[in-house]
Structures are given as structure tokens and as C-alpha cells.
Amino acid sequence: MKTGLVLEGGAKRGIYTAGILDVLLENNLLADGVIGVSAGAIHGCSYASLQPGRSIRYNMKYGNDYRFMSLKSWLKSGSVVDTQFCYHELPEKLDPFDNEAFKTSGIRFYVTCSNLETGAAEYLCCRDMFAEIDCLRASASLPLVSQIVEVGGKKLLDGGIADSIPLRAFESMGYDRNIVVLTRPAGYRKKPNPLAWLSALVYRRFPKFVAAVRNRHLMYNAELEYVERAEKEGRVLVLRPSRAIKVRKMEQNLERVREMYELGRFDAEANLEKIKAFWQKRAAK
């Protein structure tokens, strides 16, 4: 049996996931594979490169740099995240990503993207993060405030539009013992997007993508229900925030970002024995 980590997105709220992943690494709890969506992919790659603490470190150091994520970056570059700074300068120089460890860790790493032409999800396996950095960038490129990313001739954006919680996709790849990390507390359900009309204007050349944006809340809530059924059946272990912390997509209050990270650590440590038992059950099969 293969164990996987399924990591939801959530922009800066996704730092919760980094807290959980750091505790897993510190306890040598390594999955066979990881599939991340948007912020889940951003933080998941540091897990796959065996670098605990990296995500919160660079978030605290550069989180208020306008190039990291801001409307100012969008006005200057066309994307809320400055491509050169976040996907080259930061991982290559400022807080180096260990690409060699990533390639040799034995953890298969997938990112989820949304295909503008088909409106469907693309699950891209990354084996060399520096060579395939545009896959990660595409997964985390929010609609309306990011430029379209082309990978392999496909036009891609935020994976959360087409598949926010890709548990079913990972199961179909053979990962049958999965830990799902959500970034909303229990009971959350997504509401219709009030800006769907604007997406219909901006992406009018891509009607299938527009439909995916319009129906995202339906897809998301159906996926949550699937995850909850799988949890009741004992097929997955779900980790989610034990309390609500309001963290905006482009949160500038670094103390609130830190609080969300620490909540991830707290929840992982509180469930550590349950997580270990889940791993041992995998190993016993």
C-alpha cells in the first residue's frame, strides 16, 4: 500500500499546512507521495525536499515584501506574486531550495493545475523543481490577478478551480492510505463566487474554464463530502484547523500568519499518535 499526502490550497492561509508538514518531517513520517494544490503545492515541495522550517522562515522574512504577494506586485508585473522574486531569487539564492534532496528523497511530488481550454484538472509530476518550476507557479496562479502560465503547450492556472482536494485523483494513482490536510475548520462549506461574472469577461475565450469557476463551490463541497465519507470509513486521516483564524489571501499581518502556522503544528502534535498509527497500519499491510 502507498501512503499519500493530499494538500489543499488557500493562499496565505495555507501556512497551516506548513506547520503540519514540519511536525511530520521532525518525526520522520514520510509519505510515498504528495499531491498539492496552489499553496499546498508551495509548502508540499519543502516537505518533499526534507526541509522543515523553510516555509515559515521565508514567510516571516519576506512576507511583507511587495514582491512576495500584493496588489502592488499585480499593478507592476501583472501578477500578485512576482515571478522572478518568488520562483527564482527566493528558492535559488535567498532561502535555497534543496533540489538535490527533492530529487533523491523518494517522495513522488505532484501539483494540481487547471487547464483553461478544457476546464479540467491536470496532475503534473515534478521530478526536478528548478527545471519544472513553472508547474508549481501554474498551480499557485490565482485567476484574475495572475498571468496565464504555459506548460507543455497547455494554458494553466490555479489548481483549486478544477480540483481543490484531489483525493480521488490520488487514489486513482494507487495512493490508498492518504492523509488529507484541509485549511478550513470542520463544517465549512464554500459559497458561490461573487466575482464569477468578472471571470466570465476576462476568460471569455475559455468557456469551459469559466464554467469551472462558476461551479467551483459545487465541486468543492462535493469533494468535502467525499473526504468526510472516506474519513468515516477509515480510509483517510483528515487534519484540519481546530479553531478558526481569519487569514486573508494576501494577509500582511505576519503575526497572524505565524499564528496559523503554529496552529498547524499544534494540531499535528495533538494527533501525532493517530498519525503514527495510520503510518504503521500502512506498513503492516
Side-chain angles (χ1 to χ4, degrees), residues 76-125:
K76 289 175 70 72
S77 69
S79 291
V80 292
V81 170
D82 184 279
T83 298
Q84 181 60 32
F85 178 75
C86 287
Y87 295 104
H88 295 286
E89 186 176 349
L90 201 161
E92 294 170 14
K93 298 177 181 179
L94 298 178
D95 197 319
F97 178 79
D98 193 338
N99 197 41
E100 290 307 309
F102 175 83
K103 291 190 287 186
T104 60
S105 69
I107 301 172
R108 298 275 284 187
F109 183 74
Y110 298 81
V111 301
T112 304
C113 305
S114 298
N115 187 314
L116 271 74
E117 294 174 322
T118 67
E122 302 277 349
Y123 309 103
L124 309 179
C125 183

Side-chain angles (χ1 to χ4, degrees), residues 29 108 255 270:
L29 293 170
R108 298 275 284 187
E255 287 307 309

Side-chain angles (χ1 to χ4, degrees), residues 53-198:
R54 180 172 179 270
S55 286
I56 189 61
R57 183 174 61 242
Y58 70 69
N59 266 269
M60 290 296 100
K61 190 169 184 178
Y62 302 107
N64 280 337
D65 187 311
Y66 82 89
R67 297 169 297 174
F68 190 79
M69 190 180 199
S70 70
L71 289 177
K72 181 177 178 180
S73 175
W74 177 58
L75 292 171
K76 289 175 70 72
S77 69
S79 291
V80 292
V81 170
D82 184 279
T83 298
Q84 181 60 32
F85 178 75
C86 287
Y87 295 104
H88 295 286
E89 186 176 349
L90 201 161
E92 294 170 14
K93 298 177 181 179
L94 298 178
D95 197 319
F97 178 79
D98 193 338
N99 197 41
E100 290 307 309
F102 175 83
K103 291 190 287 186
T104 60
S105 69
I107 301 172
R108 298 275 284 187
F109 183 74
Y110 298 81
V111 301
T112 304
C113 305
S114 298
N115 187 314
L116 271 74
E117 294 174 322
T118 67
E122 302 277 349
Y123 309 103
L124 309 179
C125 183
C126 299
R127 295 178 174 85
D128 182 328
M129 190 53 66
F130 287 163
E132 300 170 301
I133 193 67
D134 281 348
C135 297
L136 189 67
R137 182 164 69 94
S139 181
S141 290
L142 299 172
L144 300 178
V145 291
S146 303
Q147 296 173 344
I148 295 170
V149 181
E150 290 204 22
V151 177
K154 297 176 180 179
K155 295 178 172 60
L156 307 173
L157 280 175
D158 177 17
I161 300 300
D163 193 350
S164 295
I165 314 169
L167 173 59
R168 269 188 263 228
F170 224 27
E171 288 175 334
S172 72
M173 296 181 203
Y175 293 89
D176 42 17
R177 296 289 301 172
N178 293 295
I179 294 177
V180 178
V181 181
L182 304 177
T183 58
R184 297 280 194 181
Y188 173 79
R189 288 296 184 270
K190 190 173 288 296
K191 297 177 181 179
N193 182 357
L195 294 180
W197 65 272
L198 184 55

Side-chain angles (χ1 to χ4, degrees), residues 6 18 21 27 34 53 55 59 65 97 104 123 128 136 148 204 217 235 239 245 255 263 266:
V6 179
L21 297 180
N27 286 274
V34 175
S55 286
N59 266 269
D65 187 311
F97 178 79
T104 60
Y123 309 103
D128 182 328
L136 189 67
I148 295 170
R204 57 187 176 276
H217 66 292
R235 291 192 292 111
L239 300 174
I245 299 176
E255 287 307 309
L263 181 62
F266 174 86

